[in-house]
Amino acid sequence: MMDWLYLTGFIFAGFAGMEIVSYCVHRWLFHGALWFIHESHHTPQHGLFELNDLFSLIFAGISIWLISSGYDQIFSAPGFGIGAGIALYGLLYFIIHDLFTHKRFMPFSSDSTIMKLVRRAHQRHHQDVGKKGHEPYGLFLFPYDKYPERERKFKRD
């Protein structure tokens, strides 16, 4: 039983850690020194893939490396669980950010109030195409009560 608790804790740590890392990397690197790559995500017109997708491949590579390096010690070493948490974050990021928010690949809509709130907050981040950027830089952790969108009835989507 404790083995499963440890594994679950490591998965949660990997997931939560990714939101923190994503916020910091997005705010200070993507909108800083790596803007020449990330800018492709902020332009209104782009093809099926954008240069910014390289970042997803890097995070996926880290996740795969951690999972594979900890595969023989799933319950006793943190690598597998943290890698799985990063992978879970990446999956949810792809679904919410790429498919739902930006309508890429196989877009879909949802009546979920939370998903609509996340989309509106992210659209706020994209309110202009400049390097300066706007909050929120994270996907899940942002001051939900700061956005007047929270008060809307979400009927216009």
Side-chain angles (χ1 to χ4, degrees), residues 3-13 81:
D3 292 343
W4 284 102
L5 289 175
Y6 286 130
L7 179 60
T8 303
F10 289 135
I11 292 170
F12 179 77

Side-chain angles (χ1 to χ4, degrees), residues 70-91:
Y71 186 72
D72 58 339
Q73 305 168 36
I74 292 175
F75 295 110
S76 60
F80 181 87
I82 291 172
I86 293 171
L88 178 62
Y89 183 89
L91 175 65

